[in-house]
Amino acid sequence: MTVQTALSAQDFKSDVKPIWCPGCGDYAVLSAMTKALAELDVPREQIAFISGIGCSSRIPAYTNVYGFHGVHGRALAIAAGVKLARPDLTVIVAGGDGDGLSIGGNHFLHACRRNVDMTYVIMDNEVYGMTKGQASPTTSPDWCNSKLTPEGTGISPVEPVRLALAAGANFIARGFAGNPAEVSRLIVEGVRHPGFSFIQILSPCITYRPEEREWRNAVHASGEQPAQSMTEAMHRLASDDGFTTGVLFAGNRPAFMPARAAKATLADIERKFVS
Amino acid sequence: MTVQTALSAQDFKSDVKPIWCPGCGDYAVLSAMTKALAELDVPREQIAFISGIGCSSRIPAYTNVYGFHGVHGRALAIAAGVKLARPDLTVIVAGGDGDGLSIGGNHFLHACRRNVDMTYVIMDNEVYGMTKGQASPTTSPDWCNSKLTPEGTGISPVEPVRLALAAGANFIARGFAGNPAEVSRLIVEGVRHPGFSFIQILSPCITYRPEEREWRNAVHASGEQPAQSMTEAMHRLASDDGFTTGVLFAGNRPAFMPARAAKATLADIERKFVS
Amino acid sequence: MATYSVSVALTGSGGAGAMTAGQILLDSASKAGFFGLMTRSMGPQIRGGEAAALVRISSVPISSLDDHYDLLVAFDWGNITRFAAELPLSRDSLILADPEQGDIPEAVARHGARVAELPLKALAGTIPGARANMVGLGAVAALIGLPIDSLIAVLTVQLGRKGEEALAASTEAVRAGARAAATLPALPKLPEAAPHDGQRWNISGNEAAGLGALKGGIKFVAAYPITPATEILEWMAPALEKTGGTLVQAEDELASINMVIGGSFAGLPSLTATSGPGLSLMIESLGLAVASETPLVVIDVMRGGPSTGIPTKSEQSDLNIAAFGLHGDAPHLVVAPNSATDCLSATQWSVYLAEALQTPAIVLSDQAMGQSRVIIDKPADSPYVASRLVAPAGDGQYRRYALTDSGISPMAIPGTPGSNYVADGLEHNEKGTPSSQAGDHLAQLDKRSRKLDSFDYGDNWADIEGDGDIAVITWGSVTGPVREALARARARGQKVKLISLRLILPALPGKMEQALAGVGRVLVVEQTHSQQFAKFLRGHYTLPAEVSVFNRPGPLPIRPGEILTRLAAWE
Amino acid sequence: MATYSVSVALTGSGGAGAMTAGQILLDSASKAGFFGLMTRSMGPQIRGGEAAALVRISSVPISSLDDHYDLLVAFDWGNITRFAAELPLSRDSLILADPEQGDIPEAVARHGARVAELPLKALAGTIPGARANMVGLGAVAALIGLPIDSLIAVLTVQLGRKGEEALAASTEAVRAGARAAATLPALPKLPEAAPHDGQRWNISGNEAAGLGALKGGIKFVAAYPITPATEILEWMAPALEKTGGTLVQAEDELASINMVIGGSFAGLPSLTATSGPGLSLMIESLGLAVASETPLVVIDVMRGGPSTGIPTKSEQSDLNIAAFGLHGDAPHLVVAPNSATDCLSATQWSVYLAEALQTPAIVLSDQAMGQSRVIIDKPADSPYVASRLVAPAGDGQYRRYALTDSGISPMAIPGTPGSNYVADGLEHNEKGTPSSQAGDHLAQLDKRSRKLDSFDYGDNWADIEGDGDIAVITWGSVTGPVREALARARARGQKVKLISLRLILPALPGKMEQALAGVGRVLVVEQTHSQQFAKFLRGHYTLPAEVSVFNRPGPLPIRPGEILTRLAAWE
Ligand SMILES: Cc1ncc(C[n+]2csc(CCOP(=O)(O)OP(=O)(O)O)c2C)c(N)n1
Ligand SMILES: Cc1ncc(C[n+]2csc(CCOP(=O)(O)OP(=O)(O)O)c2C)c(N)n1
Ligand code: SF4
Ligand code: SF4
Ligand SMILES: [Mg+2]
Ligand SMILES: [Mg+2]
């Protein structure tokens, strides 16, 4: 056991230089994250920070905790394994809208319903940054700047918070990289809330979606207390414009965690084979 | 062109004997399906019937149309390929709750939002029949009869129709194998409705879930007209008990179908490389 | 007329009770002091449908089917043509049929075996509550020389719960069958079983694999059901629960392999089990485990391929994907148990190796081993237990992927202060920071292959038996029939060596060279269509000039006699 | 002092314009009548970050980098140490540096190349609107003997839209650079370009692959973006849209491969493109395509592995997964283009083969070929166009998987009356009905391998050039440097044969035997760490006794001189 004095946000930053473009929204998310970790006051070695592949998914390496930069789309599955194996760890997951909602959509669905205690942050820029600008599931159907879909996708975007609710997430929030203080607070609340917490963070990609700078004019804080029942949340989200920030839903399903007390030895088990 | 006289349900049955257990709900779905195909009056060769792997997914072989029995969980992706390549075909997809919502969950999500014109039938028995009785995403958390989850899954089941709505399906219905006439009607309506139609059919597995015979006492027809807006449908489904049958939602998003008129020749395209 | 083993096939439609009868036969053989082996052949139906219980009882330990069945008991003929090819008979074999069930189908009759009729159903009809399969069982016991008492003893335990009446009916039926058998043509009989002190076990290959995993130290399992691997998971779920581990059913194999990666990263020896289609889906993330040096074990219980293939039948055709399925240069372990019993020790060893070498180990079992049930002497304890080289608390300068001589770098487990790092599937430097530099890439590639190539695998890499100018090289469940063929070859004076490869990857050319010293001719035996194993051997080892290959895809098991024929040609 | 080719490396931080300068240099070379090749080396940053444009200009067609760069122009030194290893220089090379940017880093200086200083930035500063990269470009042209007029001509086209002023500034900068070069040490100069009639093309390997796909008849593409394959898709999307095809961006690779299966089942020649991680995810469904006999093409543009590896750098390490990644016995096609140009013809041929043989074809390209841009003579037209053996309207007795002599069975396309069937990945009989019988399994396995093994691949299976006791066997992009090495070896009198395998699978032992007639020694050259290609050759072919392997993983390209050294040892 080491005695730890309270750590600052800076203590949670690593010395690896981000590969991000100057001005990318992800820098603010990183700051909000390290600030939140400092506020949560969990020892660095007790945190497991898991991600997939994408610009945003690079974030664990920029923090100073245990981390796993996995493959594209599978962060939530790795994270579930970590938490189920080691309930004592604080598990945080982050990544992009492509990573989490396109290739990783199935794990998102099942993470919401499985309700393992962890916090999942999607840094949503409505684009694939890392692969140089293709449409993601949150991209609007008429965005024509990808060479892959030069006429736009023609497909309705997914609304991540609505999907999370339908799939059974236990805590749902939305933040904006332009307001890192709020993002930081949402992360702290998400981590403290038992079960699966989902936080969508609007984080502009200034290289492939420079128009997202305008998000700062669209976001508005939710004036209401978080919905506490699924029905109430469904009703509220039915009319959500996608730019309301704050905690949108805080449910009370117990987190999933199989019991793990040994009641028998291997020798007891082997005895069954004696013929 | 062949001149075809109207075909009967029997004409849509193949002579392959189902591997299903005597009494399985899937027999009724098969009957309802062939009846619907007869009513739809589409020539047999114009129908592509796609499935994954599971007891239910065996259904295409028992019908007398073009079919593809693919791998576990990928039926919707094959089907999208078929329809995008050949818009003239009527595309129907069927399979189990495990196939469609566990391993196939991501394609379900994206099929809903992509809204390609096809009809997807999940034969929901709240269990993996084919692999001899494990919990599926629709299994209730306290079902303890699987050796894999002897204490029950402890996980909230997915409500398929709610998920379909959140993901953007354009037509949503629910039927019960015990009422094949209604199922048949739902299939006909689903096929006729443009875009992605989703039909959940409660189809008891009498081998691993014999208690599902009791579903006949739980189902009740929806008295209402189908909801026509997503908001209205969300409100209604918020209080759904999972046993309301009928068309629950009929939206009006246009189906996704990229244009395919040739405007240039390959020679035109090659010219760009001349240096 | 005595023999060291008899083979009995019990067949019938679903509900005829062939499986139950087979199970009781095997248990009774054990009770009587014999060794034994039972496999099953099932139809595609989920419930009901034709089925065969294939039982071999022996006075010595066995891990192979025999060339043919001495006795085939048909409770009815159902759809037997669907798998008649799996039921070889000789002219000396005896077919025991119920005349009530009609003529013997041509696919069975064509062998020219002897036929005896016994009105199984009619006889059962004379005893209230009795069933034809019990009558058949009694007849079988009498014909092969299995003491009826051992049958009754097993029935007494099994029907205990069902009450006196059920037991009495079954006992009576068994006795009736035995009596009726007196009038039937004789079969070679089992000798008296040798007395023994030690414990005997009744275990399936899949259970053995599960037990081996637990004994090796597995504490976390995430998996998705698939035939024929599900039984490993079904056995492990309650066993883990009781011993303080966790098993979670994942949404698919992509999730299960990544959960396993997470569990292992977090510090617990972790495992999943699957079959070909599931292994295919795990391929990308197995590469992640290689690159991030995360230990884990995947048991692949092989079935007929390609694609969904033949889920209920055996084949060795996942060798290619297991050995070469990963993209990039991705050295990892591939270990193959070579009998149902070895499923225990090979899996346990694999857990040990994966943990010691911080890399994924693929255990290649198959349906024939996994779903066969054997009576064996209690397996000896094995010393192999997971023991990972972990890093101590550090000062923030921890190098997760340090370039050590052995190639193995101490791994910090979350919770260890000052040694936090970020595991990465991107190429990286010693600290784990992504790097696309040629020098870092080469250093890490070297390290990852060095740790496998320079490890001491001892004698476990292969079972080597006998000596001679001829070697039979084989692997996996085919080792059973090869072993038996070689025993017969030796009995008739031929000198032959067995090399059964347990460690498929890494290849150990030095050890093979030693094993092949003095060998001039090699027969490779494998259950594939495309000679995957023979090609693998040619690619990785130097073989003698004369190599002959005996390969056949599933589902027909390879029989000792077929191998013997090939060896005889070299005599 | 003239030479047939010069190699120039242009480097600088993001924004320094090295890439733009490289592009213009290549275009100008083409305009001047030269052939050329340009590759790029990029840092991990999405935007900005260090970069190098690597340009080789030649009076003869080329498909290889040279041993070193004759000229390295550094606009600044940025993070050049990150890829200095990729920039070999000789003592005769010239480093052109801007003194303002500080000392030459040791990683560059260590080669002992000559150094010349030119105040690029300062010179640009004297011309309003001018940039240092244009000054550098002028100097390069003067140093290597590329007519300044060709530069001006290219700039005129490219800057046309930006208006007179921009053009004037750039032109002036180029001229200033050229003037300044007069005072610099001399370099070998390009000869005058030979006059030519035919069309010249400027095309990248990835574009060529896309074009080959279209020319082969591809009408449907489903894909998921991944480096370095995305450019194939980005080129194909508008091209398909214009020519009446469809490209759809799928949610992941599991979806894309299955959409492609659906598109092909429905009757359209279909394709996807990906890289290692994506190919891994397609493995299960590739097996489905094999078993259901659904033709399709997957282009894998290989990058550094394993796992996420090094996404922006080249390697040949997906050979294993492409050839052996599928579970079960799953014969399929693996085709490897051996130059950026061949990406066109090999892909086109693959479409033809996949359709003719009703099986998946994996095309193994790589980052080095895919992302290099070449100036070539317009490729000759190829006769290979998709032509599937389709079934006519039927009477309901259609046997989709009929056992024909060729192994190819007529395939009914939905819409064809009376020939409907259900395609299946379960083993099946001739009609397609699932079957677990040994006979059906063997018959279908035989059929699926027979159709590949007995097909006539003509001469396309390999490029075979020259003669001699020594053969170099290689494949893919490494063929470029091997070809050049062999040309040099022959020039100095060594007799050597080139065998560059285009058809990796099926293996054609008969053809190889012919090709190896008279060859006593073989050098295998490949860009992997674990000798995947050499092991593949050993496993599938009979090679002469003396086999030597020259292998190295990426990202360092294999250079002609390194191969020459190995050959010299055999002289
Ligand atoms: C299996 C696989 N497929 C594709 C890729 C290529 N790829 C890398 S990141 C990415 C998408 C990134 O988008 P997102 O998750 O939104 O992250 P962002 O870069 O926008 O932060 C893709 C497609 C990959 N690495 N692995
Ligand atoms: C990749 C893969 N994983 C697992 C399996 C094994 N498997 C076959 S069917 C099935 C689940 C079937 O459940 P469901 O889809 O609900 O169909 P049902 O049998 O209940 O109709 C599973 C897990 C498989 N065939 N492929
Ligand atoms: S490409 Fe976009 S998301 Fe990626 S680092 Fe640059 S700005 Fe950020
Ligand atoms: S196992 Fe269940 S779902 Fe499968 S065929 Fe039998 S009853 Fe139907
Ligand atoms: Mg994104
Ligand atoms: Mg089901």
Side-chain angles (χ1 to χ4, degrees), chain A residues 56 96-98 123 125-129 136:
Chain A
S56 42
D97 39 324
M123 295 148 83
N125 56 11
E126 301 186 3
V127 77
Y128 290 3
S136 89

Side-chain angles (χ1 to χ4, degrees), chain C residues 158-533:
Chain C
Q158 295 203 351
L159 298 178
R161 279 160 303 165
K162 294 205 182 167
E164 287 294 318
E165 253 172 71
L167 177 59
S170 289
T171 308
E172 194 42 49
V174 162
R175 291 196 195 283
R179 278 193 303 272
T183 64
L184 301 175
L187 276 178
K189 286 199 167 47
L190 288 165
E192 200 141 333
H196 65 95
D197 315 320
Q199 252 181 35
R200 286 277 164 83
W201 278 17
N202 177 333
I203 193 167
S204 76
N206 276 344
E207 290 168 351
L211 180 61
L214 288 193
K215 293 184 80 143
I218 291 298
K219 287 270 175 283
F220 181 72
V221 175
Y224 190 71
I226 187 166
T227 307
T230 313
E231 296 137 22
I232 297 181
L233 307 166
E234 290 181 336
W235 184 87
M236 289 192 86
L240 276 167
E241 206 263 349
K242 289 197 191 85
T243 53
T246 302
L247 180 143
V248 53
Q249 180 181 324
E251 57 268 32
D252 59 17
E253 289 88 351
L254 301 161
S256 58
I257 185 69
N258 278 285
M259 286 179 178
V260 161
I261 289 174
S264 177
F265 166 78
L268 300 192
S270 301
L271 170 146
T272 187
T274 187
S275 189
L279 182 62
S280 294
L281 290 173
M282 296 181 184
I283 287 297
E284 188 198 12
S285 299
L286 282 171
L288 174 62
V290 169
S292 65
E293 302 199 40
T294 310
L296 59 86
V297 177
V298 179
I299 306 178
D300 172 15
V301 187
M302 296 181 285
R303 61 194 221 183
S307 196
T308 312
I310 312 185
T312 55
K313 308 269 172 174
S314 205
E315 200 164 77
Q316 296 188 306
S317 54
D318 290 357
L319 175 64
N320 272 350
I321 181 175
F324 308 117
L326 282 59
H327 77 267
D329 286 304
H332 60 282
L333 295 155
V334 180
V335 176
N338 60 22
S339 69
T341 316
D342 194 35
C343 285
L344 196 166
S345 36
T347 305
Q348 183 172 346
W349 189 48
S350 300
V351 176
Y352 162 79
L353 290 180
E355 290 282 321
L357 292 165
Q358 298 178 23
T359 203
I362 299 175
V363 178
L364 282 180
S365 177
D366 64 29
Q367 184 275 337
M369 282 190 285
Q371 296 194 329
S372 72
R373 181 162 282 288
V374 288
I375 309 294
I376 52 171
D377 281 320
K378 180 187 172 181
D381 269 329
S382 142
Y384 297 109
V385 173
S387 149
R388 206 183 275 187
L389 182 67
V390 297
D395 57 358
Q397 295 306 309
Y398 174 57
R399 289 172 306 131
R400 166 65 185 103
Y401 302 108
L403 298 171
T404 60
D405 283 348
S406 65
I408 302 168
S409 326
M411 179 173 178
I413 307 302
T416 311
S419 294
N420 54 287
Y421 73 101
V422 179
D424 210 316
L426 277 167
E427 193 54 283
H428 40 255
N429 61 19
E430 290 185 84
K431 289 201 74 165
T433 308
S435 164
S436 51
Q437 290 186 46
D440 288 324
H441 188 38
L442 186 60
Q444 293 293 323
L445 284 167
D446 278 346
K447 161 194 201 303
R448 291 190 293 256
S449 61
R450 181 168 71 244
K451 68 179 177 180
L452 292 189
D453 291 338
S454 63
F455 192 79
D456 180 5
Y457 300 93
D459 289 337
N460 295 298
W461 74 284
D463 283 352
I464 302 177
E465 293 158 14
D467 246 311
D469 166 59
I470 296 175
V472 180
I473 312 187
T474 190
W475 73 290
S477 68
V478 174
T479 304
V482 170
R483 256 200 184 108
E484 188 150 339
L486 295 201
R488 293 192 211 166
R490 287 185 202 113
R492 70 178 189 209
Q494 202 174 12
K495 300 195 84 182
V496 267
K497 186 171 207 166
L498 168 74
I499 304 177
S500 169
L501 237 66
R502 186 174 287 101
L503 187 68
I504 306 288
L505 280 185
L508 302 176
K511 300 227 179 203
M512 182 64 97
E513 199 185 323
Q514 259 179 282
L516 285 175
V519 171
R521 290 176 295 184
V522 160
L523 174 66
V524 178
V525 186
E526 59 175 306
Q527 198 181 22
T528 71
H529 186 258
S530 61
Q531 304 196 338
Q532 297 186 15
F533 185 59

Side-chain angles (χ1 to χ4, degrees), chain B residues 66 114 260 263 270 275, chain D residues 30 215 242 246 251 416:
Chain B
Y66 280 91
R114 191 176 283 118
R260 273 246 303 279
K263 292 164 270 185
E270 280 188 357
S275 81
Chain D
S30 170
K215 293 183 79 140
K242 287 196 192 86
T246 303
E251 56 270 32
T416 312

Side-chain angles (χ1 to χ4, degrees), chain D residues 130-287:
Chain D
R131 296 189 57 210
N133 63 341
M134 291 299 130
V135 178
L137 208 47
V140 168
L143 281 167
I144 67 174
L146 182 69
I148 298 294
D149 287 353
S150 66
L151 273 181
I152 308 282
V154 169
L155 288 173
T156 308
V157 174
Q158 296 204 350
L159 298 178
R161 279 159 303 164
K162 294 206 181 166
E164 286 294 316
E165 255 172 69
L167 177 59
S170 289
T171 309
E172 193 41 48
V174 163
R175 289 197 196 284
R179 278 194 304 272
T183 65
L184 300 176
L187 276 179
K189 286 200 168 45
L190 288 164
E192 199 141 333
H196 65 95
D197 315 321
Q199 252 183 36
R200 287 275 165 83
W201 279 17
N202 177 332
I203 194 167
S204 76
N206 276 344
E207 290 168 350
L211 179 62
L214 289 193
K215 293 183 79 140
I218 292 297
K219 287 271 175 282
F220 181 72
V221 175
Y224 190 71
I226 187 166
T227 307
T230 313
E231 296 137 21
I232 297 180
L233 307 167
E234 290 181 337
W235 184 86
M236 289 192 88
L240 276 167
E241 205 261 357
K242 287 196 192 86
T243 54
T246 303
L247 181 144
V248 54
Q249 181 181 323
E251 56 270 32
D252 59 18
E253 288 89 350
L254 301 161
S256 58
I257 185 70
N258 278 285
M259 287 179 177
V260 161
I261 288 174
S264 177
F265 167 78
L268 300 192
S270 301
L271 170 146
T272 187
T274 188
S275 189
L279 182 61
S280 294
L281 290 173
M282 295 181 185
I283 287 297
E284 188 199 11
S285 298
L286 281 171

Side-chain angles (χ1 to χ4, degrees), chain B residues 55-56 95-99 123-130 136 138 205:
Chain B
C55 295
S56 42
D97 40 323
D99 189 73
M123 295 147 82
D124 188 356
N125 56 10
E126 301 186 2
V127 77
Y128 291 2
M130 181 62 100
S136 88
T138 54
C205 170

Side-chain angles (χ1 to χ4, degrees), chain A residues 45-46 64-69 74 77-78 81-82 86 106-107 110 114 260 262-264 269-270 273-275, chain C residues 30 199-202 207 215 235 241-242 244-246 251-252 258-259 262 266 414-416 420-424:
Chain A
E45 64 273 13
Q46 285 299 116
N64 195 359
V65 299
Y66 279 91
F68 208 124
H69 184 217
R74 315 289 165 215
I78 294 189
V82 171
R86 287 285 303 281
N106 202 33
H107 309 303
H110 289 279
R114 190 175 283 118
R260 272 246 302 279
K263 292 165 270 187
I269 305 268
E270 281 188 356
F273 294 120
V274 178
S275 81
Chain C
S30 170
Q199 252 181 35
R200 286 277 164 83
W201 278 17
N202 177 333
E207 290 168 351
K215 293 184 80 143
W235 184 87
E241 206 263 349
K242 289 197 191 85
T246 302
E251 57 268 32
D252 59 17
N258 278 285
M259 286 179 178
T416 311
N420 54 287
Y421 73 101
V422 179
D424 210 316

